[in-house]
Amino acid sequence: MKFKTIIYFLLLLCDNLFSQTFPIECLNTPMVIYSNLQDVSTLNYLRIDSIAGTAYFDAFSEPSGFKVNGIGYRLQDKMVYGCQGDRLIRIDARGRPEELTQMSFGSFAGDVTPDGKYLVLLGLDKSLLFVDLASGNYEEKTLALSAPFFPLDIAFNPVTGVLYGFDAGLKRLATIDLQTGFVDLNNYPVVDIETGLAALFFDGFGNLWGLSGPSLYQISTRTGLIMNKIPVEIESGGRLDGCSCPGSFNFQLSTWPDTVSHCGIVDLIYIISNRTGAAQTDLTLENWLPTGVLIDKIMKNPFGGQVDIGANSGHLKVSQMKVNEGVDSLVVRVVLDNLPSGIVRTQAQLFNIRISSDSLLNLLSDDPATHQKLDSTSFVVTDLEKIAHNERIFICEGQSVELKNPKTMAEYYTWSTGQTTPSIQVDEPGVYVLTMEDRCTAFVEDSFFVFDGQVYLDLGPDIELIAGDTIRPNPTVNGLGNLVLSKWSNQPGIPNMDCNSCLNPLIFPLEKSIFTLNIKNEHGCFANDDLGISIKYPVYVPNVFNPNADDDNAWFFIQSKNPYRVRFLQIFNRWGELVFEEKNFLTNDLSKAWNGSFRNKKLPSGVFVWQAEMEFENGRVVKFSGDVSIVR
């Protein structure tokens, strides 16, 4: 009896363990579902080291055979949601999929809203599907989109709630308005990503990343430009999808500049990322600064609280802080009291972070500029003259550029233009000199060499080609810098060139067209020009003939060097009456010519209208029309 009881207990325990779900802890890093060529899938943390330029998958689930797309992480229950076909799937930390319900459709592009209420999937019919996760009944609603949109994945910014996608065809970032369905495809530029981004997600500090095969791209949500490209070790042909993992709390301390003079100025930037799902209150930040580093003023404080600065201005304490969800920073400006050359280090501490109802955490600041975790932040003190920048800058036509020394701050600035601001905006090439002076009266001159980086393009005059001929254009390109992009397009858009990304493609126009070449050089400057090509078909149709003549001029017929098929030839008198018609014959065939008669009667002199339809070698069917005079 006891033996049976034990067996029953073990079976019940195994059943409970099997049915139990295991939450996925968010570790301030995106998550990726990766399936290899053998269809073995794992849940992975994507470890990104943007400083070292490396990234790798760190599997934390058991290998499984699930194939889930459109995934998003839900902080409220710490689970990943997605779809397998049209089935709603939930995945726990073991990587075991649980089918929840059948949906209207599935998708490869999806994410969970930051409030955890919906899984949002992008449909192929220009719509978004919202699946209610909060109520447990998985009700659906849809939103029609304003334009076709073809991303391989979509991602919500965990702080702002803005929905992003990277259009695989247009090769540009776009946003979707969840209230109106408006797809903004024009706010961001085209970037050099050959294929779409199969996985799109945000990291713990609000940076947008995307995976395309073995490459990981960081894309600015402000400019839409690529900020970083990092290789990822991945098996060719494998499948993947990714999502943001926003549930964490991080504390970083950075400096600007990182190199400063003996009596220079430094901004200490205390960056706090709160992804815990709630505001953090009653926090305390404290930083004992090195000797000779003195607090000048608070430049920015979004956290409020009580600010206490020590009597010697080297001790910072901010208590009763409130840190809302998102990423923000406290900025404190310090001045150096004639410090000697060398490396200056400092580290702050943040107290009373609540990670659960009964657990508090204290965090040391981390230097984001190093690979080491929870290390002190440093800056370099050196002679002011060693911080001269002497930069070469290229500007494009119609653009301007901001000039400033990116390495340091000074007490006083004087430009060769007479301006006395830390930076100036210029729109013309030239040499601009900046004189910087610190609090110890040391000064240095910094030169900025601004060049005309514009690229210039000329495709030459428009041309006329005989039908069937080809041409290889020879563009004239002038300007500094190598080309990094060449892109041809044409109207009306019929494919008729052997390479649309070559500078000199072979063009075989099928009809009158306008060909446009867009180029970009290494300085980011663009140029374009159009080449108009008209088509002349090698046929001759007389506009007058004499039926009484003794030679070929006695006949009206379509002539050409090479024979072409005439589908039909029709001739009408001035009242619109059809007086002649022939079908399906070749040019130059006198047996199909008109002799100027109608119903076996000679027509008098006069003007007649004709129309014909012909076929050429390239399969093109062309209609011709005109008038012809009979002169007897």
Side-chain angles (χ1 to χ4, degrees):
M1 185 68 180
K2 290 182 178 179
F3 178 73
K4 290 183 178 179
T5 302
I6 293 172
I7 293 297
Y8 175 77
F9 175 77
L10 290 175
L11 289 174
L12 182 63
L13 179 63
C14 290
D15 182 65
N16 288 337
L17 287 174
F18 186 78
S19 60
Q20 181 182 357
T21 56
F22 292 81
I24 300 171
E25 296 300 330
C26 229
L27 301 178
N28 190 36
T29 183
M31 287 183 290
V32 173
I33 291 179
Y34 174 65
S35 302
N36 63 19
L37 294 178
Q38 290 73 42
D39 281 336
V40 176
S41 302
T42 53
L43 269 171
N44 304 263
Y45 293 119
L46 179 60
R47 307 293 187 184
I48 305 171
D49 189 337
S50 57
I51 304 298
T54 60
Y56 64 93
F57 293 157
D58 182 7
F60 62 86
S61 75
E62 303 166 4
S64 176
F66 63 84
K67 301 176 183 177
V68 180
N69 284 311
I71 67 170
Y73 178 76
R74 187 168 184 263
L75 182 62
Q76 287 69 16
D77 58 9
K78 299 184 178 181
M79 297 288 174
V80 168
Y81 289 81
C83 59
Q84 192 170 36
D86 60 356
R87 306 287 174 166
L88 177 63
I89 302 296
R90 178 169 58 199
I91 304 172
D92 68 0
R94 297 172 301 177
R96 294 185 179 179
E98 176 188 359
E99 183 177 318
L100 300 176
T101 189
Q102 183 175 2
M103 304 178 295
S104 297
F105 59 78
S107 177
F108 46 79
D111 198 8
V112 171
T113 55
D115 60 8
K117 187 171 183 180
Y118 296 103
L119 173 68
V120 180
L121 299 172
L122 177 67
L124 297 177
D125 60 344
K126 286 176 46 180
S127 69
L128 289 178
L129 177 67
F130 294 77
V131 182
D132 191 337
L133 303 177
S135 64
N137 55 15
Y138 310 119
E139 292 182 354
E140 299 179 0
K141 65 178 182 179
T142 58
L143 175 68
L145 301 182
S146 64
F149 187 35
F150 302 104
L152 301 183
D153 199 11
I154 54 178
F156 283 100
N157 185 314
V159 178
T160 65
V162 176
L163 181 58
Y164 292 86
F166 183 84
D167 193 290
L170 298 177
K171 302 187 187 307
R172 64 179 9 151
L173 195 64
T175 58
I176 302 176
D177 188 317
L178 297 185
Q179 300 300 318
T180 64
F182 175 70
V183 181
D184 190 347
L185 292 165
N186 300 311
N187 193 39
Y188 296 109
V190 174
V191 295
D192 188 19
I193 299 178
E194 286 302 316
T195 58
L197 297 175
L200 196 66
F201 39 78
F202 285 84
D203 64 18
F205 285 91
N207 301 307
L208 180 62
W209 298 84
L211 272 169
S212 177
S215 298
L216 176 66
Y217 295 89
Q218 181 183 358
I219 304 175
S220 168
T221 56
R222 185 177 62 86
T223 66
L225 298 176
I226 298 171
M227 300 176 64
N228 207 347
K229 181 180 179 182
I230 298 174
V232 182
E233 291 187 10
I234 185 173
E235 182 181 5
S236 178
R239 296 181 299 105
L240 52 83
D241 195 6
C243 62
S244 309
C245 186
S248 58
F249 197 98
N250 288 273
F251 180 36
Q252 294 179 333
L253 172 57
S254 66
T255 66
W256 191 88
D258 58 10
T259 303
V260 64
S261 67
H262 304 288
C263 297
I265 302 170
V266 179
D267 279 347
L268 302 179
I269 307 167
Y270 303 88
I271 308 165
I272 302 177
S273 171
N274 178 14
R275 310 289 194 191
T276 60
Q280 294 280 341
T281 58
D282 203 26
L283 302 187
T284 298
L285 184 151
E286 193 166 13
N287 193 186
W288 290 92
L289 299 174
T291 302
V293 180
L294 307 177
I295 298 173
D296 181 33
K297 54 187 167 183
I298 305 295
M299 303 296 294
K300 174 187 176 186
N301 180 15
F303 310 121
Q306 178 66 40
V307 179
D308 296 314
I309 298 175
N312 63 355
S313 298
H315 176 225
L316 172 69
K317 183 178 181 180
V318 186
S319 56
Q320 302 175 24
M321 296 168 58
K322 181 181 179 181
V323 179
N324 293 316
E325 273 201 288
V327 181
D328 216 328
S329 55
L330 168 70
V331 181
V332 178
R333 179 158 294 178
V334 299
V335 294
L336 307 189
D337 188 15
N338 204 12
L339 288 185
S341 297
I343 298 175
V344 178
R345 300 183 185 277
T346 186
Q347 189 168 30
Q349 192 165 10
L350 197 60
F351 300 90
N352 304 328
I353 304 161
R354 186 167 296 279
I355 58 175
S356 66
S357 59
D358 58 354
S359 180
L360 295 177
L361 174 69
N362 300 330
L363 271 181
L364 289 171
S365 63
D366 175 60
D367 184 359
T370 66
H371 309 153
Q372 185 179 346
K373 298 302 179 183
L374 301 180
D375 59 334
S376 61
T377 299
S378 64
F379 57 88
V380 177
V381 178
T382 187
D383 297 333
L384 185 60
E385 57 265 25
K386 295 181 179 179
I387 312 176
H389 192 43
N390 296 328
E391 185 178 7
R392 291 165 55 91
I393 301 171
F394 295 84
I395 59 173
C396 305
E397 188 176 34
Q399 295 182 351
S400 62
V401 63
E402 182 185 37
L403 303 183
K404 67 177 181 180
N405 187 305
K407 296 181 178 180
T408 192
M409 285 190 289
E411 190 76 14
Y412 306 104
Y413 301 86
T414 305
W415 291 87
S416 54
T417 59
Q419 295 159 281
T420 57
T421 53
S423 65
I424 60 172
Q425 203 79 17
V426 300
D427 56 10
E428 292 185 359
V431 179
Y432 299 84
V433 179
L434 167 64
T435 301
M436 297 183 295
E437 187 175 348
D438 68 13
R439 295 167 56 250
C440 299
T441 69
F443 71 92
V444 65
E445 287 189 348
D446 199 359
S447 298
F448 297 82
F449 302 90
V450 181
F451 297 92
D452 179 8
Q454 184 59 39
V455 59
Y456 300 91
L457 172 66
D458 184 10
L459 292 178
D462 295 345
I463 59 175
E464 182 180 72
L465 292 180
I466 301 297
D469 285 355
T470 61
I471 184 174
R472 193 178 294 277
N474 187 26
T476 300
V477 179
N478 293 309
L480 300 176
N482 299 319
L483 293 185
V484 297
L485 174 69
S486 300
K487 193 75 172 181
W488 285 90
S489 61
N490 70 298
Q491 295 293 335
I494 300 174
N496 48 16
M497 62 184 73
D498 64 347
C499 173
N500 64 0
S501 60
C502 306
L503 194 60
N504 308 91
L506 183 66
I507 296 177
F508 36 93
L510 304 178
E511 61 182 0
K512 183 178 181 180
S513 304
I514 297 176
F515 292 82
T516 301
L517 174 60
N518 289 277
I519 60 173
K520 175 185 175 182
N521 67 7
E522 60 185 304
H523 307 305
C525 301
F526 291 86
N528 65 75
D529 194 17
D530 294 335
L531 176 64
I533 299 181
S534 58
I535 303 300
K536 181 179 181 180
Y537 290 91
V539 296
Y540 170 71
V541 183
N543 58 5
V544 62
F545 74 108
N546 179 6
N548 297 331
D550 295 328
D551 53 19
D552 288 349
N553 289 327
W555 303 89
F556 174 79
F557 63 103
I558 300 176
Q559 305 167 41
S560 61
K561 181 178 181 180
N562 299 314
Y564 298 107
R565 178 163 298 280
V566 182
R567 288 189 171 187
F568 67 82
L569 170 63
Q570 297 174 329
I571 303 174
F572 304 87
N573 61 24
R574 61 180 177 173
W575 296 282
E577 184 179 13
L578 181 67
V579 298
F580 179 81
E581 182 178 32
E582 283 289 350
K583 296 181 179 179
N584 296 320
F585 62 94
L586 297 179
T587 56
N588 305 321
D589 186 351
L590 278 175
S591 68
K592 305 296 182 180
W594 183 43
N595 62 2
S597 64
F598 177 49
R599 295 176 180 172
N600 296 320
K601 293 183 179 180
K602 295 181 179 180
L603 294 173
S605 297
V607 179
F608 298 82
V609 176
W610 63 270
Q611 64 179 15
E613 190 174 86
M614 298 178 58
E615 297 178 12
F616 293 89
E617 296 104 327
N618 54 25
R620 187 74 178 165
V621 176
V622 181
K623 290 184 177 181
F624 296 88
S625 61
D627 57 71
V628 59
S629 298
I630 293 178
V631 178
R632 292 187 183 274

